[in-house]
Amino acid sequence: MGSNEVSAEALMICAPIRSQCVEQIVKKMHEAKAQGADVVEVSLDHITNFHPHNDLQTILTNKLLPILFSYRPKWEGGLYEGDENIRLEALQLAMELGADFIDIELKAASSCLKTMMEYKKNHGNHGKIIVSSYVDGVTPPKSELLKLVTLMKATGADIIKLVTNAQDITEIERIFSILPYSQACDFHIFIGLIHMDVPLIAYSVGDRGLISQLLCPKFGGFFVYGSLDGNPIPGMPSLETLREAYKLEHVNEDTKVFGLISKPVGHSKGPLLHNPTFRHAKFNGMYVPMFVDDLKEFFSTYTSPDFAGYSVGFPYKEKVLTFCDEVHPLAQSIGAVNTIVRRPIDGKLVGYNTDCEGAITAIEDALIEHGCNDGGACLSSPLAGRLFVLVGAGGAGRALAFGAKSRGARIVIFDIDFDRAKSLASAVFGEALHYKDLAIFQPEKGAILANATPIGMHPNIADRISVSEVLHSYFKFF
């Protein structure tokens, strides 16, 4: 798409630019184009000593992509605190100078939008006017969001934009319900009549709002926002991630959704693994991180067949059994589930444990590669008879313990909850030791260390020492 070609229908990836000087804005526009953005949003309220005519002219003269200008007042979450008329005049000037989009808050639209629309008509201006509304706090019910969408549509805007600040991932379903491709809302037919001719940008900010960006093209949103590399924004994927992992141009209303249920989710490499695999197999699916606080609310909210399956991460591998309609016998015996599939024929959630075989096989392969295949012949495993030291007796730890037991290993378990360590040790005929003794523990040569704790996991990498580092000097293959 060229710098002067703006479609009102195709999904566009927009990179926010928030800099204090015009020179930095120009530099970041170049970066955004190189990183795959289709549009940049320049926040004028972030510019120090902003001089509207000169600064806007400089930015527009150097543009490489379509530009959206916003000039957000403090009462709508921005930085501007001056005269309201001066702020709105700057936005009108941006349009007159050739901005592709300008963003005006719903609360301010009544005082300036009519004048701007008349100017557009009289001067053949092709810039698009976005009327936006930011909802702080808990996302309102669907009926209230519908009313807000109706008010924004009634202004005559070219595009409407709704932003919320989700406190829980289940609130995002309300955002999806007002987008044109959604089948999840009682108001779907009515909503379609309201904004079928007006593109809608709708998403939620913050870590719990990430899927509102990633699934935007499935439900018919107009913009997806992506942050510049090196400038992370909570709840916003990076342009690199959108380009490499998600490739949203392949996503449509028929795309099946898979995801990682975890808290936190920032450490997951799942999207980088699963999404390219889906594309390679020509399967219309998408794998996304899902920051979940309440399992019951989550499973009660996302019941659509489009949400086809999940990986389960920390700290939910044991708790999630309760929410499965059926559990595979291996997962039942381990007491932990890491994979859930929604069965297509009846929609039931079936839980499995792939951690056990996957992790143990990987350890066996590593031992064989290092020439350590001295296990008992009867079990045909290099783990047979070997000391297997497990740190962490949660869901992942249970899978490792049962897997090691199945291979004939001798198991020692540490956990910060000694009773939990004892319970697991009893189940696998192993030994439980106090967590405080971990740092002084002296295992035999050739023992295996398995870290099944969140220690060292993102976002606590910098301020916590990993178990692997504590015992690095003790554990070596031979």
Side-chain angles (χ1 to χ4, degrees):
M1 178 175 292
S3 62
N4 293 313
E5 299 173 8
V6 178
S7 168
E9 298 179 2
L11 177 78
M12 303 178 77
I13 295 177
C14 181
I17 296 178
R18 299 167 183 169
S19 296
Q20 295 181 334
C21 69
V22 172
E23 292 75 18
Q24 278 294 314
I25 290 172
V26 172
K27 178 183 177 184
K28 289 186 177 182
M29 284 197 296
H30 283 76
E31 293 175 5
K33 181 176 176 61
Q35 293 172 28
D38 300 307
V39 186
V40 293
E41 178 177 341
V42 176
S43 299
L44 299 176
D45 49 297
H46 283 253
I47 300 175
T48 303
N49 298 321
F50 175 52
H51 299 287
H53 194 279
N54 290 340
D55 292 346
L56 289 169
Q57 192 80 306
T58 299
I59 294 168
L60 287 165
T61 299
N62 289 278
K63 81 171 186 175
L64 298 173
L65 295 169
I67 299 178
L68 186 166
F69 286 107
S70 60
Y71 200 4
R72 204 71 73 201
K74 269 214 163 177
W75 49 262
E76 192 81 341
L79 301 179
Y80 183 78
E81 295 184 273
D83 183 272
E84 183 69 358
N85 290 326
I86 293 175
R87 184 181 76 87
L88 296 176
E89 286 171 4
L91 286 171
Q92 174 148 351
L93 177 61
M95 183 177 68
E96 293 173 7
L97 291 174
D100 301 282
F101 305 91
I102 60 169
D103 184 321
I104 300 170
E105 300 75 23
L106 176 62
K107 295 177 184 177
S110 60
S111 62
C112 67
L113 195 61
K114 183 178 180 181
T115 302
M116 291 186 179
M117 296 299 283
E118 287 178 353
Y119 176 88
K120 280 185 57 177
K121 181 179 178 181
N122 294 335
H123 292 80
N125 188 292
H126 298 293
K128 305 294 182 182
I129 297 177
I130 300 172
V131 168
S132 63
S133 181
Y134 172 69
V135 181
D136 200 4
V138 176
T139 305
K142 297 173 187 177
S143 57
E144 291 186 29
L145 292 180
L146 174 60
K147 292 177 183 176
L148 195 51
V149 167
T150 306
L151 286 173
M152 289 190 285
K153 170 65 171 63
T155 65
D158 299 304
I159 301 165
I160 55 180
K161 176 180 177 180
L162 175 65
V163 183
T164 69
N165 186 3
Q167 311 299 301
D168 190 279
I169 194 172
T170 56
E171 297 173 31
I172 307 303
E173 189 268 345
R174 301 169 211 169
I175 296 292
F176 294 151
S177 73
I178 65 170
L179 287 165
Y181 299 163
S182 174
Q183 302 295 326
C185 179
D186 295 335
F187 306 110
H188 173 63
I189 296 176
F190 186 38
I191 288 176
L193 293 173
I194 288 174
H195 66 68
M196 63 185 297
D197 58 335
V198 179
L200 173 60
I201 302 166
Y203 64 92
S204 188
V205 298
D207 291 331
R208 290 159 179 81
L210 178 59
I211 64 169
S212 68
Q213 297 282 357
L214 298 176
L215 298 180
C216 169
K218 174 175 173 59
F219 294 102
F222 181 49
F223 274 9
V224 171
Y225 283 80
S227 62
L228 289 166
D229 295 350
N231 294 271
I233 299 174
M236 188 179 295
S238 69
L239 291 171
E240 180 183 17
T241 301
L242 289 174
R243 184 177 66 247
E244 299 298 328
Y246 295 105
K247 295 189 183 296
L248 300 183
E249 64 270 20
H250 298 289
V251 178
N252 56 45
E253 57 187 303
D254 297 320
T255 299
K256 295 295 185 183
V257 180
F258 301 84
L260 169 66
I261 297 172
S262 188
K263 182 180 179 180
V265 293
H267 62 284
S268 174
K269 304 300 182 186
L272 292 169
L273 172 66
H274 294 293
N275 289 315
T277 303
F278 286 152
R279 293 192 292 271
H280 179 75
K282 301 188 184 321
F283 177 79
N284 189 4
M286 188 178 191
Y287 186 95
V288 298
M290 296 174 168
F291 194 121
V292 175
D293 294 284
D294 187 314
L295 289 173
K296 182 179 181 180
E297 288 297 316
F298 177 83
F299 286 114
S300 297
T301 299
Y302 294 102
T303 58
S304 165
D306 279 355
F307 287 81
Y310 309 99
S311 304
V312 183
F314 178 84
Y316 297 130
K317 294 188 180 189
E318 295 169 271
K319 296 176 184 176
V320 80
L321 269 79
T322 306
F323 303 97
C324 294
D325 298 301
E326 297 178 16
V327 178
H328 187 271
L330 175 62
Q332 193 74 62
S333 65
I334 293 171
V337 160
N338 77 313
T339 301
I340 297 175
V341 175
R342 189 182 300 278
R343 195 160 54 202
I345 59 172
D346 56 12
K348 291 186 179 297
L349 298 175
V350 183
Y352 299 89
N353 193 301
T354 63
D355 279 340
C356 179
E357 193 63 22
I360 293 301
T361 300
I363 292 171
E364 288 178 320
D365 289 346
L367 286 167
I368 293 170
E369 183 180 343
H370 286 79
C372 306
N373 191 11
D374 59 349
C378 61
L379 294 177
S380 301
S381 170
L383 283 173
R386 192 183 295 271
L387 181 63
F388 192 95
V389 182
L390 173 66
V391 186
R398 294 187 66 85
L400 283 162
F402 275 82
K405 173 193 171 187
S406 73
R407 302 303 203 266
R410 296 175 290 117
I411 303 168
V412 172
I413 301 170
F414 292 90
D415 192 274
I416 198 165
D417 182 338
F418 186 57
D419 287 337
R420 185 164 69 168
K422 287 194 297 182
S423 175
L424 179 55
S426 175
V428 296
F429 303 102
E431 178 184 5
L433 297 177
H434 288 279
Y435 191 79
K436 62 182 177 62
D437 296 329
L438 176 60
I440 60 172
F441 181 65
Q442 294 281 344
E444 62 194 49
K445 185 178 180 181
I448 302 301
L449 169 67
N451 176 17
T453 78
I455 294 177
M457 182 189 295
H458 178 86
N460 300 314
I461 296 171
D463 60 347
R464 298 176 76 175
I465 299 174
S466 74
V467 172
S468 299
E469 290 173 331
V470 171
L471 297 180
H472 175 73
S473 62
Y474 298 137
F475 292 88
K476 298 179 180 178
F477 293 129
F478 65 90

